[in-house]
Amino acid sequence: IQHIAAQTRRLRQLDRTHNLILVVAQPVSRSWPLWRRQHADSGAVRLRSLVADLVARLPGGDKTITLAGHSGGGAFLFGFIDGGATIPATVDRIAFLDANYSYADSLGHGDKLIAWLRGDPARRLSVLAYDDRAITLNGRPIVGPTGGTYRATGRMLARFARDGRLDSTRSGDLTHVRGVSGGLRVSIDRNPRNEILHTVLVETNGFLKSLTVGTAAEHRWGRYRGERAYARWIQPATATAPVGDVPLPLPPRPADAEGGRAFMARIAPLDPAEREAAIGAEMLRGNLPDFLRRFKLIDVAMTDSAGRRHVAQLAVAPDVLAVGSDSDFVRIPMTPTTAQRIADRFGCSLPTRRLSDAIWQRAEIRLEPVPLTERREAVETFVQSNDSIEVARGTRPLGALIAGIKKDVVLTDRLLEAPARVAIYGWHHRDGTPIQPLYVGHRASYVDYSHGIRLIRRAMTVDGQPTELDKVLRDPILWPLVSDEGPIQTGRFP
């Protein structure tokens, strides 16, 4: 996927007039041939519907479809072809990257492809293959006596030859074939060294070749089976889940520390100022559950204006601040002033809107928010909210990165325009939509059950080098790693 994504990025540099959107489709089994066997009766029709649904979700009009598959992805392409009497006119290009194993005249594949090509001279069918008949792995043949893409390509060319002239040329180890008025483009590596080239055909610019044949960009990017023409566009693998966890040096929980519910009962009758003082003191003396003591590492990435890719790694709390033990805890809202004092003592920061979104995207547990409407500022409602989160979490583990449970108290330069306010954002639905847009309308002393304090360790790395979150927030180049508002000067609450 990194190679295909990078070649797509290279295509975007070559084609500035179209909006190129890459969709990677994968079944649960991770095998399209297996999926086709499991859904022999309805699979082809379902694949047609899947593609139609994906295209319908994209904005704009005049949308065209390119279908490309590597290896078992060819089963997806032939399934799509099998799903109707003709290939839809919205498909402008089909590319088999060593993927046409299941080509069969008996299923009408050749008839449909030829009719489709003749429907518009701009359409292209690209086929990449290599002579795989004698290759072995650990001393055993990889393909059977009738299998492999070399033989499948031979069957395909034989069908096309019955319907029109095929022109063949040679270039080094490659044989190139054209037919059906130039719409068919086939490249076969004769593989004289008998190597396994299955993925090499993709890695040596196969996707670029297949998607540019017959266009103005065909000869502008490099050479098929040559050096990678897309190397600078390969991005590091970014985490979709936490890439690890690190202990945070917090004070040990005192032996005489109260449980979460006892503490909440004790502070319930206090006035707001006394309550905040008690919360701050309890946090700072270490009355936090163990699951909050190991932070999760997440990656965020961006490309700067010079085209350089940057990756940052941050340690984030797996959950919002809570008081008590693992067996008796309550997630506890507080003012930004109290939260900042705790963050300062523990070498941490509060998140930005960008980091709130990144945490939700990488969360191991995503819960649907449970809003409450009565006595929002009461301690009893804080406990009620915590109980609803625990019911939704069920048996999923404490200490996993969790999201969808609270609005985040966040950093933003909008506080420069609205001093003595609290900034809140987030509480994402499962589809990623936040309930709370960035909002600075409440006074800084306002606290309700929906607020959560997520700590972010200040120490972080950018491109493997240590730095501080405050510096990155202000950096004129690197700020997009951690902000979607531009550089942020207010890196802390007063």
Side-chain angles (χ1 to χ4, degrees):
I1 291 175
Q2 281 181 294
H3 290 279
I4 296 299
Q7 291 180 62
T8 302
R9 296 183 194 106
R10 180 68 180 106
L11 284 170
R12 291 186 181 124
Q13 300 296 317
L14 297 167
D15 184 350
R16 299 287 190 173
T17 62
H18 296 94
N19 183 24
L20 305 180
I21 299 175
L22 174 66
V23 177
V24 182
Q26 176 178 277
V28 173
S29 64
R30 302 192 180 190
S31 167
W32 283 115
L34 175 59
W35 188 90
R36 289 292 311 278
R37 291 194 296 272
Q38 292 171 335
H39 302 86
D41 294 335
S42 61
V45 174
R46 290 172 65 180
L47 291 180
R48 284 276 178 116
S49 297
L50 169 64
V51 173
D53 179 62
L54 289 169
V55 173
R57 296 183 187 205
L58 302 177
D62 299 324
K63 291 174 277 193
T64 58
I65 303 167
T66 289
L67 296 173
H70 169 61
S71 190
F76 182 102
L77 302 190
F78 282 121
F80 180 89
I81 293 170
D82 293 341
T86 61
I87 298 173
T90 49
V91 176
D92 67 347
R93 187 177 297 262
I94 300 175
F96 291 93
L97 285 70
D98 207 39
N100 61 336
Y101 296 93
S102 53
Y103 173 86
D105 287 333
S106 61
L107 297 176
H109 294 158
D111 296 341
K112 292 179 182 180
L113 288 168
I114 290 169
W116 168 73
L117 284 173
R118 285 183 167 165
D120 187 334
R123 292 172 184 162
R124 293 292 180 269
L125 170 61
S126 175
V127 179
L128 305 182
Y130 75 105
D131 192 342
D132 53 5
R133 292 173 295 178
I135 58 173
T136 61
L137 181 65
N138 299 325
R140 297 184 177 183
I142 288 181
V143 300
T146 61
T149 60
Y150 185 85
R151 293 186 180 95
T153 303
R155 297 192 300 271
M156 181 182 286
L157 291 177
R159 171 64 188 89
F160 275 77
R162 296 199 303 270
D163 220 72
R165 177 179 171 178
L166 299 182
D167 297 317
S168 178
T169 59
R170 286 194 173 192
S171 173
D173 293 336
L174 297 174
T175 297
H176 302 288
V177 182
R178 292 191 182 193
V180 190
S181 303
L184 171 68
R185 302 291 189 92
V186 178
S187 293
I188 305 170
D189 193 309
R190 296 190 298 279
N191 194 19
R193 290 167 292 279
N194 204 36
E195 299 173 309
I196 299 175
L197 302 179
H198 184 56
T199 57
V200 174
L201 298 186
V202 177
E203 295 171 10
T204 52
N205 309 314
F207 190 62
L208 278 169
K209 173 182 171 58
S210 296
L211 269 68
T212 58
V213 291
T215 73
E218 183 172 2
H219 302 294
R220 287 172 48 202
W221 49 264
R223 183 172 60 87
Y224 175 54
R225 301 289 284 114
E227 294 295 321
R228 294 175 182 172
Y230 58 94
R232 62 175 286 201
W233 285 275
I234 298 176
Q235 298 178 359
T238 56
T240 55
V243 296
D245 54 62
V246 293
L248 198 68
L250 304 180
R253 187 167 184 265
D256 63 346
E258 293 173 291
R261 291 181 181 277
F263 177 76
M264 300 301 279
R266 178 164 65 85
I267 67 171
L270 302 179
D271 67 42
E274 292 174 325
R275 185 179 73 193
E276 288 297 309
I279 292 171
E282 200 68 7
M283 295 283 105
L284 295 177
R285 81 185 193 104
N287 190 5
L288 292 88
D290 287 342
F291 70 82
L292 280 174
R293 297 172 181 272
R294 296 191 69 85
F295 278 30
K296 296 290 184 178
L297 293 176
I298 66 168
D299 288 345
V300 291
M302 53 83 73
T303 300
D304 65 25
S305 58
R308 292 185 295 265
R309 187 73 175 170
H310 301 285
V311 178
Q313 190 171 82
L314 301 102
V316 305
D319 206 321
V320 299
L321 280 178
V323 63
S325 65
D326 279 8
S327 59
D328 180 9
F329 67 91
V330 177
R331 296 172 180 87
I332 188 164
M334 63 192 75
T335 66
T337 303
T338 303
Q340 187 65 60
R341 188 163 74 252
I342 295 166
D344 288 346
R345 180 72 64 86
F346 294 162
C348 292
S349 172
L350 299 181
T352 60
R353 180 170 62 181
R354 161 89 165 98
L355 292 178
S356 177
D357 287 339
I359 290 168
W360 182 88
Q361 290 163 1
R362 289 152 178 78
E364 298 162 288
I365 302 172
R366 295 174 182 166
L367 302 182
E368 183 66 18
V370 182
L372 303 173
T373 57
E374 298 181 1
R375 304 187 66 225
R376 297 166 57 91
E377 300 175 56
V379 171
E380 293 83 356
T381 310
F382 298 177
V383 177
Q384 181 185 354
S385 173
N386 186 80
D387 289 346
S388 68
I389 294 169
E390 285 306 283
V391 169
R393 182 178 67 84
T395 59
R396 285 171 284 191
L398 288 171
L401 188 60
I402 191 170
I405 55 173
K406 297 282 186 180
K407 302 172 186 174
D408 286 309
V409 175
V410 296
L411 303 174
T412 173
D413 271 355
R414 287 182 59 185
L415 291 168
L416 296 174
E417 308 163 5
R421 300 286 175 142
V422 58
I424 52 177
Y425 170 78
W427 209 8
H428 298 73
H429 290 290
R430 283 182 179 167
D431 66 0
T433 305
I435 285 180
Q436 178 65 69
L438 183 59
Y439 181 70
V440 293
H442 292 308
R443 62 192 184 279
S445 58
Y446 177 81
V447 180
D448 74 35
Y449 78 94
S450 68
H451 296 192
I453 305 301
R454 177 89 66 167
L455 296 182
I456 312 287
R457 197 170 187 179
R458 282 204 303 266
M460 59 178 291
T461 64
V462 174
D463 300 330
Q465 300 302 309
T467 186
E468 294 279 334
L469 178 57
D470 289 353
K471 294 180 180 179
V472 180
L473 283 169
R474 297 190 299 269
D475 191 283
I477 295 174
L478 299 176
W479 62 264
L481 287 167
V482 293
S483 168
D484 60 5
E485 304 178 64
I488 291 182
Q489 304 303 317
T490 51
R492 62 189 310 281
F493 282 89

